[in-house]
PDB file of all heavy atoms in Angstrom:
ATOM      1  N   ILE A   3     -25.970  19.977   4.115  1.00 76.00           N
ATOM      2  CA  ILE A   3     -24.624  20.141   4.674  1.00 76.00           C
ATOM      3  C   ILE A   3     -24.128  18.848   5.327  1.00 76.00           C
ATOM      4  O   ILE A   3     -23.006  18.424   5.048  1.00 76.00           O
ATOM      5  CB  ILE A   3     -24.578  21.339   5.640  1.00 76.00           C
ATOM      6  CG1 ILE A   3     -24.781  22.627   4.842  1.00 76.00           C
ATOM      7  CG2 ILE A   3     -23.256  21.372   6.396  1.00 76.00           C
ATOM      8  CD1 ILE A   3     -24.892  23.859   5.696  1.00 76.00           C
ATOM      9  N   ALA A   5     -25.056  15.803   4.623  1.00 73.00           N
ATOM     10  CA  ALA A   5     -24.868  14.835   3.545  1.00 73.00           C
ATOM     11  C   ALA A   5     -23.595  15.124   2.765  1.00 73.00           C
ATOM     12  O   ALA A   5     -22.827  14.216   2.438  1.00 73.00           O
ATOM     13  CB  ALA A   5     -26.072  14.843   2.613  1.00 73.00           C
ATOM     14  N   PRO A  43       6.407 -25.984  21.874  1.00 87.00           N
ATOM     15  CA  PRO A  43       5.088 -26.126  22.505  1.00 87.00           C
ATOM     16  C   PRO A  43       4.402 -24.767  22.630  1.00 87.00           C
ATOM     17  O   PRO A  43       5.052 -23.730  22.632  1.00 87.00           O
ATOM     18  CB  PRO A  43       5.414 -26.714  23.883  1.00 87.00           C
ATOM     19  CG  PRO A  43       6.822 -26.294  24.152  1.00 87.00           C
ATOM     20  CD  PRO A  43       7.499 -26.208  22.817  1.00 87.00           C
ATOM     21  N   VAL A  57      15.898 -22.312  -1.073  1.00 85.00           N
ATOM     22  CA  VAL A  57      15.681 -21.187  -1.975  1.00 85.00           C
ATOM     23  C   VAL A  57      16.827 -21.190  -2.979  1.00 85.00           C
ATOM     24  O   VAL A  57      17.999 -21.185  -2.592  1.00 85.00           O
ATOM     25  CB  VAL A  57      15.640 -19.843  -1.215  1.00 85.00           C
ATOM     26  CG1 VAL A  57      15.574 -18.678  -2.172  1.00 85.00           C
ATOM     27  CG2 VAL A  57      14.471 -19.812  -0.254  1.00 85.00           C
ATOM     28  N   HIS A  71       3.280 -27.148  15.710  1.00 87.00           N
ATOM     29  CA  HIS A  71       3.566 -28.004  14.564  1.00 87.00           C
ATOM     30  C   HIS A  71       4.356 -29.225  15.037  1.00 87.00           C
ATOM     31  O   HIS A  71       5.044 -29.183  16.049  1.00 87.00           O
ATOM     32  CB  HIS A  71       4.368 -27.247  13.505  1.00 87.00           C
ATOM     33  CG  HIS A  71       3.619 -26.112  12.909  1.00 87.00           C
ATOM     34  ND1 HIS A  71       3.841 -24.800  13.259  1.00 87.00           N
ATOM     35  CD2 HIS A  71       2.618 -26.091  11.990  1.00 87.00           C
ATOM     36  CE1 HIS A  71       3.032 -24.015  12.580  1.00 87.00           C
ATOM     37  NE2 HIS A  71       2.269 -24.768  11.802  1.00 87.00           N
ATOM     38  N   GLU A  75       6.824 -31.667   9.958  1.00 90.00           N
ATOM     39  CA  GLU A  75       5.607 -31.164   9.315  1.00 90.00           C
ATOM     40  C   GLU A  75       5.958 -30.103   8.273  1.00 90.00           C
ATOM     41  O   GLU A  75       6.848 -29.284   8.473  1.00 90.00           O
ATOM     42  CB  GLU A  75       4.667 -30.573  10.364  1.00 90.00           C
ATOM     43  CG  GLU A  75       3.338 -30.123   9.810  1.00 90.00           C
ATOM     44  CD  GLU A  75       2.392 -29.626  10.888  1.00 90.00           C
ATOM     45  OE1 GLU A  75       2.645 -29.867  12.078  1.00 90.00           O
ATOM     46  OE2 GLU A  75       1.406 -28.982  10.527  1.00 90.00           O
ATOM     47  N   ASP A  97       0.292 -17.594   5.166  1.00 69.00           N
ATOM     48  CA  ASP A  97      -1.138 -17.289   5.119  1.00 69.00           C
ATOM     49  C   ASP A  97      -1.568 -16.268   6.153  1.00 69.00           C
ATOM     50  O   ASP A  97      -2.719 -15.878   6.189  1.00 69.00           O
ATOM     51  CB  ASP A  97      -1.971 -18.555   5.266  1.00 69.00           C
ATOM     52  CG  ASP A  97      -1.661 -19.300   6.559  1.00 69.00           C
ATOM     53  OD1 ASP A  97      -0.691 -18.941   7.233  1.00 69.00           O
ATOM     54  OD2 ASP A  97      -2.394 -20.252   6.873  1.00 69.00           O
ATOM     55  N   PRO A 135     -41.035  25.778  25.001  1.00 74.00           N
ATOM     56  CA  PRO A 135     -40.852  26.156  26.413  1.00 74.00           C
ATOM     57  C   PRO A 135     -41.747  25.291  27.311  1.00 74.00           C
ATOM     58  O   PRO A 135     -42.809  24.852  26.895  1.00 74.00           O
ATOM     59  CB  PRO A 135     -41.260  27.618  26.460  1.00 74.00           C
ATOM     60  CG  PRO A 135     -42.111  27.816  25.271  1.00 74.00           C
ATOM     61  CD  PRO A 135     -41.680  26.824  24.241  1.00 74.00           C
TER      62      PRO A 135
END
Side-chain angles (χ1 to χ4, degrees):
I3 293 174
V57 174
H71 296 102
E75 184 176 346
D97 58 350

